Amino acid sequence: MAIQDIYPTALRLLGRPVLVVGGGPVASRRAKGLLDAGAQVTVVAPVVSAALRELSDAGLLTWEPRTYLPSDVDGVWFVQTATGDPAVDTQVSADAEAQRIWCVNASDHEASAAWTPAVAVVDDVQIAVNAGGDPRRAMALRDAVATALETGDLPLRRRRASAGSVALVGGGPGDTGLITVRGRRLLGQADVVVADRLGPRELLNELAPDVRVIEVGKTPGHHPVPQAEINRILVDEALKGHRVVRLKGGDPYVLGRGGEEAEYCRQHGVEVEVVSGVTSAISVPAAAGIPVTHRGLAKGFSVVTGHEELSEVPARADHTIVLLMGVAALRESAAALAGAGLPQDTPVGIVENGYLPNQRVTIGTLGSIADQAEAAGVANPAVIVIGDVVRVSPFAPSHFRTADYSTTTPNSPRTTARALTT
């Protein structure tokens, strides 16, 4: 059978009677697929697998425990043979052909009137692959296409109008490889992307030309698009029938105001999905080889965004404090912690532009770090880590445990940052 002789199509078998002849593993798989399609399945076989018996006992299909009869094809819409006996399969196929019923002959694909493709479902897209009658080849191709759709490498975006929705996607610290597969897929389906200035910005260049990108990025003390306006944009675009992705840096629910955005969407009847991301509070220190917890050094950590919250966290070197976007208030934060009893020689690390080519690590102490940061021109985006865990970083100098352990490591290469996390 040449590939030119094949006319690809899809069958709607909901509520329609179909016949499966055979009771082994192939028959089990085909019966399960037909049930998933909503067909009324009858299995004819003297003996069936445990899986088919369970389906029969549950009333999901009808099992006739006997050999095949030509009358079994009467009145059915579709037939699948899977007896393992070529003579029986050929007879079933011939009987179906005589009644103009489509039949898949599992024993002889060349003589079969129809082929069953390798199938996968991604979102609401069904992938069916035929590969010249070679099922393993078809499965390999199906899996490759499904993976490409899952990861956003192939376009999954709808082209016809549908109900609008919002997805709050955590993009991670900025490296395009650190967004989740689910987040990448939703970004590929988006009609509108409402983007922060942090996160995997390079992925925006891969969007289709007609995808609108609305920039709402904030910097410390400068919010050109207020949060209330961001909320309104999300709802308005979704109510127009658009699939909206709110692309955030880090995780939407870790100091990202994602909870407020999700609540606003739900209050206005908009479907919303939250996709967790790799939070910069953990991943950016890791890029500099700093764990937020470490056996013998720290059993817990706190994440804060300003020095005014520091009075609520333990002022101990064995409890890691992670400051997000805290460069401007670093001197005040250090003073507040010192005033709460944290020793001046407590290690402090600052990681700027984590995972990016211009990543830079500055390491000092609670007493010295503000002067160091000012001298080095440290700027956001940066994550500040305070506590004994900073000693673990390979960027820390060998004499870090002595009285003089201040250092600045400029322009740490991206490849080095990745290697530190292994």
Side-chain angles (χ1 to χ4, degrees):
M1 184 182 296
I3 193 65
Q4 291 86 354
D5 298 334
I6 301 299
Y7 183 74
T9 189
L11 298 179
R12 301 191 71 175
L13 295 174
L14 179 65
R16 291 172 175 164
V18 302
L19 173 67
V20 176
V21 184
V26 174
S28 297
R29 291 197 300 272
R30 298 296 180 246
K32 177 64 167 57
L34 290 165
L35 288 172
D36 290 342
Q40 296 178 359
V41 179
T42 297
V43 175
V44 174
V47 179
V48 295
S49 66
L52 283 174
R53 186 180 292 274
E54 288 177 4
L55 292 171
S56 175
D57 291 344
L60 299 176
L61 56 76
T62 300
W63 171 36
E64 297 287 346
R66 56 173 172 77
T67 58
Y68 166 77
L69 299 173
S71 59
D72 288 330
V73 302
D74 293 347
V76 302
W77 286 70
F78 182 79
V79 178
Q80 168 75 58
T81 78
T83 67
D85 185 333
V88 174
D89 286 353
T90 298
Q91 181 61 52
V92 175
S93 181
D95 292 341
E97 182 79 12
Q99 296 202 40
R100 297 183 178 181
I101 299 168
W102 292 110
C103 176
V104 176
N105 184 343
S107 294
D108 187 355
H109 73 274
E110 289 291 343
S112 183
W115 290 352
T116 300
V119 176
V121 177
V122 178
D123 199 28
D124 59 352
V125 173
Q126 188 176 79
I127 305 150
V129 179
N130 280 308
D134 185 338
R136 292 188 177 181
R137 182 185 183 206
M139 287 188 289
L141 289 168
R142 172 204 64 191
D143 293 344
V145 174
T147 298
L149 286 169
E150 289 274 7
T151 56
D153 291 334
L154 288 178
L156 197 58
R157 183 180 167 210
R158 288 187 175 91
R159 299 295 176 173
R160 292 183 177 179
S162 60
S165 63
V166 171
L168 308 180
V169 174
D175 188 307
T176 57
L178 294 178
I179 189 173
T180 64
V181 171
R182 178 65 179 165
R184 183 76 177 264
R185 189 206 307 178
L186 289 170
L187 189 62
Q189 298 176 27
D191 302 305
V192 178
V193 178
V194 181
D196 279 350
R197 72 183 186 92
L198 302 178
R201 301 281 306 181
E202 292 180 15
L203 294 179
L204 299 179
N205 298 328
E206 300 177 9
L207 300 175
D210 59 335
V211 176
R212 285 190 296 121
V213 177
I214 302 175
E215 298 284 0
V216 295
K218 303 173 183 178
T219 58
H222 180 58
H223 300 172
V225 183
Q227 186 61 48
E229 177 65 10
I230 295 174
N231 295 347
R232 187 195 63 77
I233 290 171
L234 297 176
V235 168
D236 285 356
E237 293 294 340
L239 292 178
K240 293 175 184 176
H242 297 148
R243 281 189 148 192
V244 184
V245 166
R246 173 76 168 103
L247 184 61
K248 293 172 166 288
D251 182 280
Y253 279 3
V254 179
L255 302 172
R257 305 193 75 169
E260 300 171 41
E261 294 170 353
E263 184 179 16
Y264 189 86
C265 289
R266 295 187 184 107
Q267 288 173 349
H268 289 80
V270 172
E271 178 186 345
V272 61
E273 175 181 354
V274 180
V275 180
S276 296
V278 180
T279 175
S280 59
I282 297 173
S283 61
V284 170
I290 303 173
V292 293
T293 63
H294 189 81
R295 186 167 62 89
L297 290 179
K299 295 182 179 179
F301 66 98
S302 299
V303 181
V304 298
T305 57
H307 68 277
E308 65 274 5
E309 295 131 13
L310 293 175
S311 61
E312 306 297 326
V313 301
R316 306 192 314 268
D318 64 349
H319 182 91
T320 306
I321 299 171
V322 180
L323 285 171
L324 299 182
M325 307 301 285
V327 172
L330 178 57
R331 193 174 297 277
E332 292 85 352
S333 297
L337 287 170
L342 193 63
Q344 291 280 357
D345 61 354
T346 300
V348 180
I350 305 176
V351 186
E352 300 169 80
N353 301 303
Y355 284 97
L356 299 179
N358 60 337
Q359 175 179 303
R360 182 170 68 162
V361 180
T362 301
I363 291 179
T365 68
L366 190 67
S368 69
I369 195 64
D371 289 338
Q372 286 177 252
E374 185 176 319
V378 170
N380 286 312
V383 175
I384 302 166
V385 187
I386 303 168
D388 280 338
V389 291
V390 176
R391 300 180 188 278
V392 178
S393 172
F395 288 107
S398 58
H399 56 280
F400 191 78
R401 295 179 183 273
T402 70
D404 180 15
Y405 44 90
S406 299
T407 184
T408 296
T409 305
N411 301 323
S412 305
R414 187 181 196 175
T415 54
T416 301
R418 281 183 169 171
L420 294 175
T421 64
T422 60

